[in-house]
Amino acid sequence: MPEFLLRRSLSTLLCAAALGGAVASAQTAPTDLSATPARETVTVQPGDTAYSISRRAGLSVDAFLALNGLPGPALRVGQVLILRETPPHTVQAGETLYSLARRYGVTVPALMAANGLGEGAVLEIGQSLRVPLPNTGKSVQAAAPLPAPQLALNVALPLPAPVAAVADMAPTPLPTAAAPAPLPTSGSWRDMALALLGTPYVYGGSSRSGLDCSGFVLQVFAPFGVRLPRQSADQARAGVAVEMADLQAGDLLFFDTEGRGRVTHVGIYLGDGTMANANSYKGKVAIDQFQTDRYWAPRYLGARRVMGALAASQP
């Protein structure tokens, strides 16, 4: 074979081998992020210390050092450190997006977004899910560097001014968040429930800044002298049992959202097959259908009447 043909053949073979290797590498490269932990990280800035960073993260110094595998508190500028970490979750039998969101204190939309799941997605046993960090709705949250003046204040605070000088200074008003609309001071339980629509869902919440399902029930009925337990499972033993055919507005509705045959959610019946509830899927207090809804109907466990004649008398 002529030498120039031999060289061309060798060149062609080498290019094909390189291309095949690149394709194989691309096909085997890991692209599933669900198997990796969700992390919140911070980049060390000038003046930061292990103490100052761990304090901002709500950790002890020892826990912060252990989380990052650091032998001691010495840090270097530009170092990326972990503040929080949530390992992936392997789906078990009977688990749903709703039950997992409730367990980890996140919303269903945040859990779906972290795993690229679409509406109506069905979980499979053994499926690995990335769990968003609680209260952020993000899988990874990187802390932004602090501006230099703030950083200086964090490192060395100035001595307080003399009392006389402080008294003469005109106070500068601080910006405040918009306050929620005031709750009705009179009226019915229904007025109270409707006034709370749109309140953010917060697992364990029992105030206007955030409510979970049983906290919502307490907010609605406490002003009317109805004393109820804090947890939905305990609320399911209060009052008297009511058949679905006998439901009246104001009755408490109980659901099994984890598929384990126990009460994990409560709502308040409004009539016409609807209920008000703190809905973690929607991330807020909302009104939902329950008798005809494909999610709520099969998970319904029963109802209890806790307000007696008062509930029946409401418009």
Side-chain angles (χ1 to χ4, degrees), residues 56-74:
R56 292 201 299 267
L59 299 172
S60 68
V61 174
D62 289 341
F64 172 69
L65 296 178
L67 181 62
N68 289 276
L70 298 174

Side-chain angles (χ1 to χ4, degrees), residues 281-304:
Y281 183 88
K282 296 181 178 178
K284 63 183 179 180
V285 175
I287 295 177
D288 292 310
Q289 290 284 340
F290 92 92
Q291 288 178 318
T292 59
D293 184 83
R294 65 179 183 177
Y295 179 83
W296 293 116
R299 290 168 171 79
Y300 176 72
L301 294 179
R304 308 286 293 189

Side-chain angles (χ1 to χ4, degrees), residues 46 49 84 90 92 116 119 131 173 175 184 200 224 246 294 298 305:
T49 65
R84 289 192 295 173
T90 301
Q92 306 297 317
E119 191 72 26
V131 180
F224 300 95
D246 299 323
R294 65 179 183 177
R305 185 163 298 154

Side-chain angles (χ1 to χ4, degrees), residues 85-292:
E85 183 175 84
T86 304
H89 176 87
T90 301
V91 176
Q92 306 297 317
E95 290 182 333
T96 64
L97 287 169
Y98 181 89
S99 66
L100 293 177
R102 180 182 174 92
R103 176 187 301 180
Y104 289 104
V106 300
T107 64
V108 173
L111 186 58
M112 294 173 66
N115 293 276
L117 300 176
E119 191 72 26
V122 178
L123 300 183
E124 298 179 0
I125 297 176
Q127 182 178 354
S128 180
L129 293 179
R130 168 171 282 213
V131 180
L133 296 172
N135 302 323
T136 66
K138 299 179 182 178
S139 294
V140 180
Q141 175 67 37
L146 293 173
Q150 282 186 298
L151 195 59
L153 287 176
N154 289 336
V155 176
L157 293 174
L159 294 175
V163 174
V166 172
D168 292 336
M169 292 172 60
T172 302
L174 296 175
T176 56
L183 291 176
T185 56
S186 63
S188 67
W189 62 264
R190 186 188 297 270
D191 295 331
M192 181 68 70
L194 297 181
L196 290 168
L197 292 179
T199 300
Y201 177 91
V202 174
Y203 181 65
S206 58
S207 69
R208 289 301 308 284
S209 60
L211 295 167
D212 63 8
C213 62
S214 55
F216 168 65
V217 169
L218 294 180
Q219 282 279 320
V220 170
F221 290 122
F224 300 95
V226 180
R227 298 177 63 85
L228 293 168
R230 177 61 180 88
Q231 302 296 326
S232 59
D234 297 325
Q235 292 176 355
R237 292 190 287 268
V240 295
V242 180
E243 296 296 327
M244 182 177 287
D246 299 323
L247 283 175
Q248 295 177 353
D251 290 342
L252 300 186
L253 308 174
F254 296 95
F255 302 87
D256 171 19
T257 58
E258 296 182 356
R260 300 183 182 183
R262 61 187 184 187
V263 172
T264 55
H265 186 73
V266 59
I268 303 173
Y269 186 57
L270 297 177
D272 297 324
T274 64
M275 68 172 177
N277 69 119
N279 188 321
S280 68
Y281 183 88
K282 296 181 178 178
K284 63 183 179 180
V285 175
I287 295 177
D288 292 310
Q289 290 284 340
F290 92 92
Q291 288 178 318
T292 59

